[in-house]
Amino acid sequence: GEYSAAIDLAPGLAPAFNNRGRIYSSRGLTGQAIKDFDQAIDLDDSYGLAYFNRGTAYLVLTQYDQAILDLGDALRIDPDMARAYANRGSA
């Protein structure tokens, strides 16, 4: 898709990995999504949305401890991310 093409052209773009991970998540490919969120975080460890998305993916996999950690990191970076509070509460 378009995000894979963007990654091929500029493999250092954390948002491209994050966005492709969201597409994988929406297709039920949670493990592949987590790999892309990992890559986004490796490229930019201050990218709160990638932590949120990875935490949400771990929530789907019922890996609650990891979900809580990632969602906590998302909130540390962006304390106004209301969805992260809700998802962390669910975990």
Side-chain angles (χ1 to χ4, degrees):
E2 292 177 20
Y3 292 113
S4 293
I7 289 167
D8 289 342
L9 292 172
L13 293 176
F17 282 99
N18 180 69
N19 291 337
R20 188 175 70 178
R22 291 183 62 210
I23 291 169
Y24 285 139
S25 284
S26 72
R27 294 179 179 169
L29 302 170
T30 310
Q32 188 62 39
I34 288 172
K35 289 178 185 177
D36 273 0
F37 300 140
D38 288 344
Q39 187 63 35
I41 291 165
D42 286 346
L43 290 168
D44 182 357
D45 66 358
S46 67
Y47 192 21
L49 190 55
Y51 285 101
F52 169 79
N53 287 326
R54 189 174 70 178
T56 301
Y58 281 123
L59 181 60
V60 168
L61 295 176
T62 66
Q63 294 181 19
Y64 300 122
D65 290 341
Q66 187 60 49
I68 290 167
L69 289 173
D70 278 345
L71 293 165
D73 283 337
L75 290 168
R76 177 183 49 78
I77 294 165
D78 182 0
D80 295 327
M81 192 181 299
R83 297 173 300 162
Y85 287 104
N87 286 4
R88 189 174 67 175
S90 294

Coordinates of all heavy atoms in Angstrom, one line a residue:
G1 N 0.8 -1.2 0.0 CA 0.0 0.0 0.0 C 0.8 1.3 0.0 O 2.1 1.2 -0.2
E2 N 0.2 2.4 0.2 CA 0.9 3.7 0.1 C 1.9 3.8 1.3 O 3.0 4.4 1.0 CB -0.2 4.8 0.2 CG -1.0 4.9 -1.0 CD -2.1 5.9 -0.8 OE1 -1.9 6.8 0.0 OE2 -3.1 5.9 -1.6
Y3 N 1.6 3.3 2.5 CA 2.5 3.4 3.6 C 3.8 2.6 3.3 O 4.9 3.0 3.7 CB 1.9 3.1 4.9 CG 0.9 4.2 5.3 CD1 -0.5 3.9 5.3 CD2 1.2 5.5 5.5 CE1 -1.4 4.8 5.6 CE2 0.3 6.5 5.8 CZ -1.0 6.1 5.9 OH -2.0 7.1 6.2
S4 N 3.6 1.4 2.8 CA 4.7 0.6 2.4 C 5.6 1.3 1.4 O 6.9 1.2 1.5 CB 4.3 -0.8 1.9 OG 3.7 -1.5 3.0
A5 N 5.0 1.9 0.4 CA 5.8 2.6 -0.5 C 6.5 3.8 0.1 O 7.7 4.0 -0.2 CB 4.9 3.2 -1.6
A6 N 5.9 4.5 1.0 CA 6.5 5.6 1.8 C 7.7 5.1 2.6 O 8.8 5.7 2.6 CB 5.5 6.3 2.7
I7 N 7.5 3.9 3.2 CA 8.6 3.3 4.0 C 9.8 2.9 3.1 O 10.9 3.1 3.4 CB 8.1 2.1 4.8 CG1 7.2 2.6 5.9 CG2 9.2 1.3 5.3 CD1 6.3 1.6 6.6
D8 N 9.5 2.4 1.9 CA 10.5 2.0 1.0 C 11.4 3.3 0.5 O 12.6 3.2 0.4 CB 10.0 1.3 -0.3 CG 9.4 -0.1 0.0 OD1 9.8 -0.6 1.1 OD2 8.6 -0.6 -0.8
L9 N 10.7 4.4 0.4 CA 11.3 5.6 -0.1 C 12.1 6.3 1.0 O 13.1 6.9 0.8 CB 10.3 6.6 -0.7 CG 9.7 6.1 -2.0 CD1 8.6 7.1 -2.4 CD2 10.8 6.1 -3.1
A10 N 11.5 6.3 2.2 CA 12.1 7.0 3.4 C 11.9 6.1 4.6 O 11.0 6.4 5.4 CB 11.4 8.3 3.5
P11 N 12.8 5.1 4.8 CA 12.6 4.2 5.9 C 12.8 4.8 7.3 O 12.6 4.1 8.3 CB 13.6 3.1 5.7 CG 14.6 3.8 4.8 CD 13.9 4.8 4.0
G12 N 13.1 6.1 7.4 CA 13.3 6.7 8.7 C 12.0 7.4 9.2 O 12.1 8.2 10.2
L13 N 10.9 7.3 8.6 CA 9.7 8.0 8.9 C 8.8 7.2 9.9 O 8.1 6.3 9.5 CB 8.9 8.4 7.7 CG 9.5 9.4 6.7 CD1 8.6 9.5 5.5 CD2 9.7 10.7 7.4
A14 N 8.9 7.6 11.2 CA 8.1 6.9 12.2 C 6.6 6.9 11.9 O 5.9 5.9 12.1 CB 8.4 7.5 13.6
P15 N 6.0 8.1 11.4 CA 4.6 8.1 11.2 C 4.2 7.1 10.1 O 3.1 6.5 10.2 CB 4.3 9.5 10.7 CG 5.4 10.3 11.4 CD 6.6 9.4 11.4
A16 N 5.0 6.8 9.1 CA 4.7 5.8 8.1 C 4.5 4.4 8.7 O 3.6 3.7 8.4 CB 5.7 5.8 7.0
F17 N 5.4 4.1 9.6 CA 5.3 2.8 10.3 C 4.1 2.7 11.2 O 3.4 1.7 11.2 CB 6.6 2.5 11.1 CG 7.7 2.0 10.3 CD1 8.8 2.9 9.9 CD2 7.8 0.7 9.9 CE1 9.8 2.4 9.1 CE2 8.9 0.2 9.1 CZ 9.9 1.1 8.7
N18 N 3.9 3.8 11.9 CA 2.7 3.9 12.8 C 1.4 3.7 12.0 O 0.5 2.9 12.3 CB 2.7 5.2 13.6 CG 1.5 5.3 14.5 OD1 1.4 4.6 15.4 ND2 0.6 6.2 14.1
N19 N 1.3 4.4 10.9 CA 0.1 4.4 10.1 C -0.1 3.0 9.4 O -1.2 2.5 9.3 CB 0.1 5.5 9.0 CG -0.1 6.8 9.7 OD1 -0.6 7.0 10.8 ND2 0.4 7.9 9.0
R20 N 1.0 2.4 8.9 CA 0.9 1.1 8.4 C 0.5 0.1 9.5 O -0.4 -0.8 9.2 CB 2.1 0.6 7.7 CG 2.0 -0.7 6.9 CD 3.2 -1.1 6.1 NE 4.3 -1.5 7.0 CZ 5.4 -1.9 6.6 NH1 5.7 -1.9 5.3 NH2 6.4 -2.2 7.4
G21 N 1.0 0.3 10.7 CA 0.6 -0.6 11.8 C -0.9 -0.5 12.1 O -1.6 -1.5 12.4
R22 N -1.4 0.7 12.0 CA -2.9 0.9 12.2 C -3.7 0.1 11.1 O -4.7 -0.4 11.5 CB -3.2 2.4 12.2 CG -2.7 3.1 13.4 CD -3.1 4.5 13.5 NE -4.5 4.7 13.6 CZ -5.2 5.7 13.1 NH1 -4.6 6.7 12.4 NH2 -6.5 5.7 13.2
I23 N -3.2 0.1 9.9 CA -3.9 -0.6 8.9 C -3.8 -2.1 9.2 O -4.8 -2.8 9.1 CB -3.3 -0.3 7.5 CG1 -3.6 1.1 7.1 CG2 -3.8 -1.3 6.4 CD1 -2.9 1.6 5.9
Y24 N -2.7 -2.6 9.6 CA -2.6 -4.0 10.0 C -3.5 -4.3 11.1 O -4.2 -5.4 11.1 CB -1.1 -4.4 10.4 CG -0.1 -4.5 9.2 CD1 1.2 -4.0 9.4 CD2 -0.5 -5.1 8.1 CE1 2.1 -4.1 8.4 CE2 0.5 -5.3 7.0 CZ 1.7 -4.8 7.2 OH 2.7 -4.9 6.2
S25 N -3.6 -3.5 12.1 CA -4.5 -3.7 13.2 C -5.9 -3.8 12.7 O -6.7 -4.6 13.2 CB -4.4 -2.5 14.2 OG -3.2 -2.7 15.0
S26 N -6.3 -2.9 11.9 CA -7.7 -2.9 11.4 C -8.1 -4.1 10.6 O -9.2 -4.5 10.5 CB -8.0 -1.6 10.5 OG -7.3 -1.7 9.3
R27 N -7.0 -4.8 10.1 CA -7.2 -6.1 9.4 C -7.1 -7.3 10.2 O -7.0 -8.4 9.7 CB -6.3 -6.1 8.2 CG -6.6 -5.0 7.1 CD -5.6 -5.1 6.0 NE -5.9 -4.1 5.0 CZ -5.1 -3.7 4.0 NH1 -3.9 -4.4 3.9 NH2 -5.5 -2.8 3.2
G28 N -6.9 -7.1 11.5 CA -6.7 -8.2 12.5 C -5.3 -8.8 12.5 O -5.1 -9.8 13.0
L29 N -4.4 -8.1 11.9 CA -3.0 -8.6 11.8 C -2.2 -7.9 13.0 O -1.3 -7.1 12.7 CB -2.4 -8.2 10.5 CG -3.1 -8.8 9.3 CD1 -2.6 -8.3 8.0 CD2 -3.0 -10.4 9.3
T30 N -2.6 -8.2 14.2 CA -2.1 -7.5 15.4 C -0.6 -7.7 15.5 O 0.1 -6.8 15.9 CB -2.9 -8.0 16.6 OG1 -4.3 -7.9 16.3 CG2 -2.5 -7.1 17.8
G31 N -0.1 -8.9 15.3 CA 1.4 -9.2 15.5 C 2.2 -8.3 14.5 O 3.2 -7.7 14.9
Q32 N 1.7 -8.2 13.3 CA 2.5 -7.4 12.3 C 2.3 -5.9 12.6 O 3.3 -5.2 12.5 CB 1.9 -7.7 10.9 CG 2.7 -7.0 9.8 CD 4.1 -7.5 9.7 OE1 4.4 -8.7 9.9 NE2 5.1 -6.6 9.5
A33 N 1.2 -5.5 13.2 CA 1.0 -4.2 13.6 C 2.0 -3.8 14.7 O 2.6 -2.7 14.6 CB -0.4 -3.9 14.1
I34 N 2.1 -4.7 15.7 CA 3.1 -4.4 16.8 C 4.5 -4.2 16.2 O 5.2 -3.4 16.7 CB 3.0 -5.5 17.8 CG1 1.6 -5.4 18.6 CG2 4.1 -5.5 18.8 CD1 1.3 -6.5 19.5
K35 N 4.9 -5.0 15.3 CA 6.2 -4.9 14.7 C 6.4 -3.5 14.1 O 7.5 -2.8 14.2 CB 6.5 -5.9 13.6 CG 6.6 -7.3 14.2 CD 6.8 -8.3 13.1 CE 6.9 -9.7 13.6 NZ 7.0 -10.7 12.6
D36 N 5.4 -3.0 13.4 CA 5.5 -1.6 12.9 C 5.5 -0.6 14.0 O 6.2 0.4 13.9 CB 4.3 -1.4 11.9 CG 4.7 -1.8 10.5 OD1 5.8 -2.3 10.2 OD2 3.8 -1.6 9.6
F37 N 4.7 -0.7 15.0 CA 4.7 0.2 16.1 C 6.0 0.2 16.8 O 6.6 1.2 17.2 CB 3.6 -0.1 17.1 CG 2.2 0.0 16.5 CD1 1.2 -0.9 16.9 CD2 1.8 1.0 15.6 CE1 -0.1 -0.9 16.3 CE2 0.5 1.1 15.1 CZ -0.4 0.1 15.4
D38 N 6.6 -1.0 16.9 CA 8.0 -1.1 17.5 C 9.0 -0.3 16.7 O 9.8 0.5 17.2 CB 8.5 -2.6 17.5 CG 7.8 -3.5 18.5 OD1 7.2 -3.0 19.4 OD2 7.9 -4.7 18.3
Q39 N 8.9 -0.4 15.4 CA 9.8 0.3 14.5 C 9.6 1.8 14.6 O 10.5 2.6 14.7 CB 9.6 -0.1 13.0 CG 10.6 0.5 12.1 CD 12.0 0.0 12.4 OE1 12.3 -1.1 12.8 NE2 13.0 0.9 12.2
A40 N 8.3 2.2 14.7 CA 8.0 3.7 14.8 C 8.6 4.2 16.1 O 9.2 5.3 16.2 CB 6.5 3.9 14.8
I41 N 8.5 3.4 17.2 CA 9.1 3.9 18.5 C 10.6 3.8 18.5 O 11.2 4.7 19.0 CB 8.5 3.0 19.6 CG1 7.0 3.3 19.8 CG2 9.3 3.2 20.9 CD1 6.2 2.3 20.6
D42 N 11.2 2.8 17.8 CA 12.6 2.8 17.7 C 13.1 4.1 16.9 O 14.2 4.6 17.3 CB 13.1 1.6 16.9 CG 13.0 0.3 17.8 OD1 12.8 0.4 19.0 OD2 13.1 -0.8 17.2
L43 N 12.4 4.5 16.0 CA 12.8 5.7 15.2 C 12.5 7.0 16.0 O 13.3 8.0 15.8 CB 12.0 5.7 13.9 CG 12.4 4.7 12.9 CD1 11.4 4.6 11.7 CD2 13.8 4.9 12.3
D44 N 11.5 7.0 16.8 CA 11.2 8.2 17.5 C 10.5 7.8 18.9 O 9.3 7.6 18.9 CB 10.2 9.1 16.7 CG 9.8 10.4 17.4 OD1 10.3 10.6 18.6 OD2 9.1 11.2 16.8
D45 N 11.3 7.8 19.9 CA 10.8 7.3 21.2 C 10.0 8.3 21.9 O 9.5 8.1 23.0 CB 11.9 6.8 22.1 CG 12.9 7.8 22.5 OD1 12.8 9.0 22.1 OD2 13.8 7.5 23.3
S46 N 9.7 9.5 21.3 CA 8.8 10.5 21.9 C 7.5 10.5 21.1 O 6.7 11.5 21.3 CB 9.5 11.9 21.9 OG 9.7 12.3 20.5
Y47 N 7.2 9.5 20.3 CA 6.0 9.5 19.5 C 4.9 8.8 20.2 O 4.7 7.6 20.2 CB 6.4 8.7 18.2 CG 5.4 8.8 17.1 CD1 4.4 9.8 17.0 CD2 5.4 7.9 16.1 CE1 3.5 9.9 16.0 CE2 4.5 7.9 15.0 CZ 3.5 8.9 15.0 OH 2.6 9.0 14.0
G48 N 4.2 9.6 21.0 CA 3.2 9.1 21.9 C 2.1 8.2 21.2 O 1.6 7.3 21.8
L49 N 1.7 8.6 20.0 CA 0.7 7.9 19.3 C 1.1 6.5 19.0 O 0.3 5.5 19.0 CB 0.3 8.6 18.0 CG -1.0 8.1 17.3 CD1 -2.2 8.1 18.2 CD2 -1.2 9.0 16.1
A50 N 2.4 6.2 18.7 CA 2.8 4.9 18.4 C 2.8 4.0 19.7 O 2.4 2.9 19.7 CB 4.3 4.9 17.9
Y51 N 3.1 4.6 20.9 CA 2.9 3.9 22.1 C 1.4 3.6 22.4 O 1.1 2.5 22.8 CB 3.5 4.7 23.3 CG 5.0 4.8 23.4 CD1 5.7 5.9 23.0 CD2 5.7 3.7 24.0 CE1 7.0 5.9 23.1 CE2 7.0 3.8 24.1 CZ 7.7 4.9 23.6 OH 9.1 4.9 23.7
F52 N 0.6 4.6 22.1 CA -0.9 4.3 22.3 C -1.3 3.2 21.4 O -2.0 2.3 21.9 CB -1.6 5.6 21.9 CG -3.1 5.3 21.8 CD1 -3.9 5.2 23.0 CD2 -3.7 5.2 20.6 CE1 -5.3 5.0 22.9 CE2 -5.1 4.9 20.5 CZ -5.8 4.8 21.6
N53 N -0.9 3.2 20.1 CA -1.4 2.2 19.2 C -0.8 0.8 19.6 O -1.5 -0.2 19.5 CB -1.0 2.5 17.8 CG -1.9 3.7 17.3 OD1 -3.0 3.8 17.6 ND2 -1.3 4.5 16.4
R54 N 0.4 0.8 20.0 CA 1.0 -0.5 20.4 C 0.3 -1.0 21.7 O 0.0 -2.2 21.8 CB 2.5 -0.4 20.6 CG 3.2 -1.8 20.8 CD 4.7 -1.7 20.8 NE 5.2 -1.0 22.0 CZ 6.4 -0.8 22.3 NH1 7.4 -1.2 21.5 NH2 6.8 -0.2 23.4
G55 N 0.1 -0.1 22.6 CA -0.6 -0.5 23.8 C -2.0 -1.0 23.6 O -2.4 -2.0 24.2
T56 N -2.7 -0.4 22.6 CA -4.0 -0.9 22.3 C -3.9 -2.2 21.6 O -4.8 -3.1 21.9 CB -4.7 0.2 21.4 OG1 -4.8 1.4 22.1 CG2 -6.1 -0.3 20.9
A57 N -2.9 -2.5 20.8 CA -2.7 -3.8 20.2 C -2.5 -4.8 21.2 O -3.0 -5.9 21.2 CB -1.6 -3.7 19.2
Y58 N -1.7 -4.5 22.2 CA -1.4 -5.5 23.3 C -2.7 -5.7 24.1 O -2.9 -6.8 24.6 CB -0.3 -5.0 24.2 CG 1.1 -5.2 23.7 CD1 2.0 -4.2 23.5 CD2 1.5 -6.5 23.4 CE1 3.3 -4.4 23.1 CE2 2.8 -6.8 22.9 CZ 3.6 -5.7 22.7 OH 4.9 -5.9 22.2
L59 N -3.5 -4.7 24.2 CA -4.8 -4.9 24.9 C -5.7 -5.9 24.1 O -6.3 -6.8 24.7 CB -5.5 -3.5 25.0 CG -6.9 -3.5 25.7 CD1 -6.8 -4.0 27.1 CD2 -7.5 -2.1 25.6
V60 N -5.7 -5.8 22.8 CA -6.4 -6.8 22.0 C -5.9 -8.2 22.2 O -6.7 -9.1 22.3 CB -6.3 -6.4 20.5 CG1 -6.8 -7.5 19.6 CG2 -7.1 -5.1 20.2
L61 N -4.6 -8.3 22.4 CA -4.0 -9.6 22.6 C -4.1 -10.1 24.1 O -3.6 -11.1 24.4 CB -2.5 -9.6 22.2 CG -2.3 -9.4 20.7 CD1 -0.8 -9.3 20.4 CD2 -2.9 -10.5 19.8
T62 N -4.8 -9.3 24.9 CA -4.9 -9.6 26.3 C -3.5 -9.7 27.0 O -3.4 -10.3 28.0 CB -5.8 -10.8 26.7 OG1 -5.2 -12.0 26.2 CG2 -7.2 -10.6 26.1
Q63 N -2.6 -8.9 26.5 CA -1.3 -8.8 27.2 C -1.3 -7.5 28.0 O -0.7 -6.5 27.6 CB -0.1 -8.8 26.1 CG 0.0 -10.2 25.4 CD 1.1 -10.2 24.4 OE1 2.0 -9.4 24.4 NE2 1.0 -11.2 23.5
Y64 N -2.0 -7.6 29.1 CA -2.4 -6.4 29.8 C -1.2 -5.7 30.4 O -1.2 -4.4 30.4 CB -3.4 -6.8 30.9 CG -4.6 -7.4 30.4 CD1 -5.1 -8.6 30.8 CD2 -5.4 -6.7 29.4 CE1 -6.2 -9.2 30.2 CE2 -6.6 -7.2 28.9 CZ -7.0 -8.5 29.3 OH -8.1 -9.0 28.8
D65 N -0.2 -6.4 31.0 CA 0.9 -5.7 31.6 C 1.7 -4.8 30.5 O 2.0 -3.7 30.8 CB 1.9 -6.7 32.2 CG 1.4 -7.4 33.4 OD1 0.4 -6.9 34.0 OD2 1.9 -8.5 33.8
Q66 N 1.9 -5.4 29.3 CA 2.6 -4.6 28.3 C 1.7 -3.4 27.8 O 2.1 -2.3 27.6 CB 2.9 -5.5 27.1 CG 3.8 -4.7 26.1 CD 5.1 -4.2 26.7 OE1 5.8 -4.9 27.3 NE2 5.4 -2.9 26.4
A67 N 0.3 -3.7 27.8 CA -0.6 -2.6 27.4 C -0.5 -1.5 28.4 O -0.5 -0.3 28.0 CB -2.0 -3.2 27.3
I68 N -0.5 -1.8 29.6 CA -0.5 -0.7 30.7 C 0.8 0.1 30.6 O 0.8 1.3 30.7 CB -0.6 -1.4 32.1 CG1 -2.1 -1.9 32.2 CG2 -0.3 -0.4 33.2 CD1 -2.3 -2.8 33.4
L69 N 1.9 -0.6 30.3 CA 3.2 0.1 30.2 C 3.2 1.1 29.0 O 3.6 2.2 29.1 CB 4.4 -0.9 30.0 CG 4.7 -1.7 31.3 CD1 5.8 -2.8 30.9 CD2 5.3 -0.8 32.4
D70 N 2.7 0.5 27.8 CA 2.8 1.4 26.6 C 1.8 2.5 26.8 O 2.1 3.7 26.4 CB 2.4 0.6 25.4 CG 3.6 -0.2 24.9 OD1 4.8 0.1 25.3 OD2 3.4 -1.1 24.0
L71 N 0.6 2.3 27.3 CA -0.4 3.3 27.4 C 0.1 4.4 28.5 O -0.2 5.6 28.3 CB -1.8 2.8 27.8 CG -2.3 1.9 26.6 CD1 -3.5 1.1 27.1 CD2 -2.8 2.8 25.5
G72 N 0.8 3.9 29.5 CA 1.4 4.9 30.4 C 2.4 5.7 29.8 O 2.5 6.9 30.1
D73 N 3.2 5.1 28.9 CA 4.2 5.9 28.2 C 3.5 6.9 27.2 O 4.0 8.1 27.1 CB 5.1 5.0 27.3 CG 6.2 4.3 28.2 OD1 6.5 4.9 29.3 OD2 6.7 3.3 27.7
A74 N 2.4 6.5 26.6 CA 1.7 7.5 25.8 C 1.2 8.7 26.6 O 1.3 9.8 26.1 CB 0.5 6.7 25.1
L75 N 0.8 8.4 27.8 CA 0.3 9.5 28.7 C 1.4 10.3 29.2 O 1.2 11.5 29.4 CB -0.6 8.9 29.8 CG -1.9 8.3 29.4 CD1 -2.5 7.5 30.5 CD2 -2.8 9.4 28.9
R76 N 2.5 9.7 29.4 CA 3.7 10.5 29.9 C 4.1 11.5 28.8 O 4.4 12.7 29.1 CB 4.9 9.6 30.2 CG 6.1 10.2 30.6 CD 7.3 9.3 30.8 NE 7.5 8.3 29.7 CZ 8.1 8.6 28.5 NH1 8.5 9.8 28.3 NH2 8.2 7.6 27.6
I77 N 4.0 11.1 27.6 CA 4.3 12.0 26.4 C 3.2 13.0 26.2 O 3.5 14.1 25.9 CB 4.6 11.1 25.2 CG1 5.9 10.3 25.5 CG2 4.8 12.0 23.9 CD1 6.1 9.1 24.5
D78 N 2.0 12.5 26.2 CA 0.8 13.4 25.9 C -0.3 13.2 27.0 O -1.1 12.3 26.8 CB 0.3 13.1 24.5 CG -0.9 14.0 24.1 OD1 -1.3 14.8 24.9 OD2 -1.4 13.8 23.0
P79 N -0.2 13.9 28.1 CA -1.1 13.7 29.2 C -2.6 14.0 28.8 O -3.5 13.7 29.6 CB -0.7 14.7 30.3 CG 0.7 15.1 29.9 CD 0.8 14.9 28.4
D80 N -2.8 14.7 27.7 CA -4.2 15.0 27.3 C -4.8 13.9 26.4 O -5.9 14.1 25.8 CB -4.2 16.3 26.5 CG -3.8 17.5 27.4 OD1 -4.1 17.4 28.6 OD2 -3.2 18.4 26.9
M81 N -4.2 12.8 26.2 CA -4.6 11.7 25.3 C -5.7 10.9 26.0 O -5.4 9.9 26.7 CB -3.5 10.8 24.8 CG -3.9 9.9 23.7 SD -2.5 8.8 23.2 CE -1.3 9.9 22.6
A82 N -6.9 11.4 26.0 CA -8.0 10.8 26.8 C -8.2 9.3 26.4 O -8.5 8.5 27.3 CB -9.3 11.5 26.5
R83 N -8.1 8.9 25.2 CA -8.3 7.5 24.8 C -7.3 6.6 25.5 O -7.6 5.4 25.8 CB -8.1 7.3 23.3 CG -9.2 8.1 22.5 CD -8.9 8.0 21.0 NE -7.6 8.6 20.7 CZ -6.9 8.4 19.6 NH1 -7.4 7.7 18.7 NH2 -5.8 9.0 19.5
A84 N -6.1 7.1 25.8 CA -5.1 6.3 26.5 C -5.5 6.0 27.9 O -5.3 4.9 28.4 CB -3.7 6.9 26.4
Y85 N -6.1 7.0 28.5 CA -6.7 6.7 29.9 C -7.7 5.6 29.8 O -7.7 4.7 30.7 CB -7.3 8.0 30.5 CG -6.2 9.0 30.9 CD1 -6.0 10.1 30.2 CD2 -5.5 8.8 32.1 CE1 -5.1 11.1 30.6 CE2 -4.6 9.8 32.5 CZ -4.4 10.9 31.7 OH -3.5 11.9 32.1
A86 N -8.6 5.7 28.9 CA -9.7 4.7 28.8 C -9.2 3.3 28.5 O -9.6 2.4 29.1 CB -10.7 5.1 27.7
N87 N -8.2 3.2 27.6 CA -7.7 1.9 27.2 C -6.8 1.4 28.4 O -6.9 0.2 28.7 CB -6.8 2.0 26.0 CG -7.7 2.1 24.7 OD1 -8.9 2.2 24.8 ND2 -7.1 2.1 23.6
R88 N -6.1 2.2 29.1 CA -5.3 1.8 30.2 C -6.2 1.3 31.3 O -6.0 0.3 32.0 CB -4.4 2.9 30.7 CG -3.4 2.3 31.8 CD -2.4 3.4 32.2 NE -3.0 4.5 32.9 CZ -2.4 5.5 33.4 NH1 -1.1 5.6 33.4 NH2 -3.0 6.4 34.1
G89 N -7.3 2.0 31.5 CA -8.3 1.5 32.5 C -8.9 0.1 32.1 O -9.1 -0.7 33.0
S90 N -9.1 -0.1 30.8 CA -9.6 -1.4 30.4 C -8.6 -2.5 30.6 O -8.9 -3.6 30.9 CB -9.9 -1.4 28.9 OG -11.0 -0.5 28.7
A91 N -7.3 -2.2 30.5 CA -6.2 -3.2 30.7 C -6.1 -3.5 32.2 O -5.8 -4.6 32.6 CB -4.9 -2.6 30.2

